[in-house]
Amino acid sequence: MFGRLTPPDLNVLVLRDTDLAARGIRQALAEATPGERPGLERAAALVEQAAAASDAELRARWVHERLAAAGHEGPVDSVHAIKALRGTTPGLSLRQAVRLTKDAAAHRP
């Protein structure tokens, strides 16, 4: 028998650019006029909120977005959802799609 005996693990990389956004907002806040400050303070709070999201929450959001783009409206961890997710993401294995949809079902947006 050739090939792997066990399927590969899920390899999903979560990218975060919130530190760059936060740095830019802090710089703008330091140079802001009194009229600009409330909007920049609100933006800073939103960036902090986004940075606090866990990797699992970000993956779940990504799955929900992919399924919505595919027009899927049923349960996130259904067979139809898995098929829809794999249809929107070429190269995504069945095992990876199952794991992502189960995780997404546990983290409702």
Side-chain angles (χ1 to χ4, degrees):
M1 175 186 267
F2 296 101
R4 296 180 181 195
L5 296 177
T6 59
D9 288 329
L10 178 63
N11 295 315
V12 175
L13 176 64
V14 176
L15 299 176
R16 294 180 182 260
D17 286 342
T18 52
D19 58 334
L20 297 173
R23 189 177 318 131
I25 292 171
R26 281 193 298 271
Q27 179 64 35
L29 195 52
E31 302 167 357
T33 65
E36 295 172 327
R37 290 191 71 74
L40 288 169
E41 288 169 352
R42 176 70 177 136
L46 290 172
V47 169
E48 286 178 19
Q49 181 182 0
S54 69
D55 288 354
E57 290 170 322
L58 293 176
R59 284 190 302 269
R61 183 179 348 146
W62 179 83
V63 170
H64 286 282
E65 289 170 357
R66 297 281 66 79
L67 292 176
H72 178 76
E73 296 180 0
V76 178
D77 55 351
S78 69
V79 171
H80 294 292
I82 294 166
K83 184 176 179 178
L85 183 61
R86 290 187 74 203
T88 65
T89 313
L92 187 66
S93 74
L94 177 59
R95 181 178 182 196
Q96 292 169 333
V98 168
R99 185 166 172 194
L100 283 168
T101 56
K102 282 185 179 181
D103 291 348
H107 292 92
R108 300 280 178 198

